[in-house]
Amino acid sequence: SKQWYQRRVRGRQQNGIRDLDFSDVKNKKSPLNSMFYRSKDKEGSDILWVQPKFFDHTQRREFEQYLLWLIETRPGAAECSQITIALALDGVGLSQVDVEFNKFFINYFMYHTPDTMKRMIVHNMHWLLNGVWKLLSVLLSEGARKRVIFLKNKDIHQYIAEELVLSCCGGPDPHCYKA
């Protein structure tokens, strides 16, 4: 639709997406590598794995731009393809919560690319973060809140095949970012 296209173009312009190039990040030891595509969910959508415990608050803008670059250059980057976002929250406490980045993350997926995110799996969220979720959830529409799914180790297999779950989420795949 025309509105979808306008939101998408506006988001690209506001964030200078055409000027971004992070193609060399994978070759470096960088906290940016705590966000990456790996495998597909049970419905065949690409999974963007995010490990927030490695985020560096002093580099927030770089993390935001890298996220945008990942979305725009995703595998099979058909304009209509959807992704599953898996937030691996093991070891994440209140000190690692960057509310500004979370607002950016939510706004981008809800307003600029609302059809990109099929679902967001929030894995092993510490109970202390429930208050943060309550604050952030009021920013979301009812439909967006329904796409956010909270899971523990054994439940992640409902959405991701057991052999494809990363070790940081209790699975056999060792491909996790390590600082």
Side-chain angles (χ1 to χ4, degrees), residues 8-160:
R8 188 79 181 239
V9 169
R10 194 171 332 132
R12 287 176 174 167
Q13 287 174 337
Q14 289 172 348
N15 292 291
I17 289 175
R18 289 188 178 171
D19 302 327
L20 302 178
D21 182 13
F22 287 96
S23 54
D24 65 336
V25 166
K26 291 179 183 173
N27 301 326
K28 297 178 181 176
K29 184 88 171 149
S30 168
L32 294 176
N33 284 321
S34 63
M35 293 186 283
F36 54 89
Y37 286 102
R38 179 117 175 134
S39 63
K40 297 189 180 292
D41 65 15
K42 286 188 172 181
E43 296 167 353
S45 297
D46 293 310
I47 302 172
L48 175 61
W49 293 90
V50 180
Q51 293 177 272
K53 73 179 175 182
F54 297 110
F55 284 10
D56 182 345
H57 303 287
T58 64
Q59 295 178 314
R60 178 183 304 125
R61 184 65 183 148
E62 191 173 4
F63 274 92
E64 290 171 353
Q65 290 178 328
Y66 185 58
L67 175 66
L68 299 176
W69 183 80
L70 282 171
I71 294 164
E72 293 295 323
T73 62
R74 66 189 179 274
E79 288 290 321
C80 60
S81 67
Q82 290 188 303
I83 61 174
T84 291
I85 299 168
L87 291 176
L89 294 182
D90 271 353
V92 175
L94 286 175
S95 64
Q96 283 95 7
V97 174
D98 183 340
V99 174
E100 290 303 313
F101 180 77
N102 287 324
K103 284 186 346 189
F104 171 83
F105 193 87
I106 288 168
N107 281 330
Y108 196 75
F109 280 107
M110 296 306 134
Y111 303 109
H112 296 293
T113 60
D115 297 329
T116 301
M117 185 181 78
K118 181 194 304 183
R119 73 177 62 93
M120 180 184 299
I121 296 171
V122 180
H123 183 261
N124 280 352
M125 185 172 83
H126 193 281
W127 65 270
L128 286 172
L129 299 177
N130 284 334
V132 174
W133 167 245
K134 287 183 184 193
L135 289 172
L136 292 173
S137 67
V138 298
L139 301 172
L140 304 176
S141 67
E142 179 66 26
R145 280 193 298 273
K146 287 180 180 179
R147 290 189 280 166
V148 178
I149 302 162
F150 295 89
L151 301 172
K152 295 291 183 188
N153 280 347
K154 61 182 168 74
D155 300 324
I156 198 167
H157 303 126
Q158 296 173 32
Y159 300 96
I160 302 170

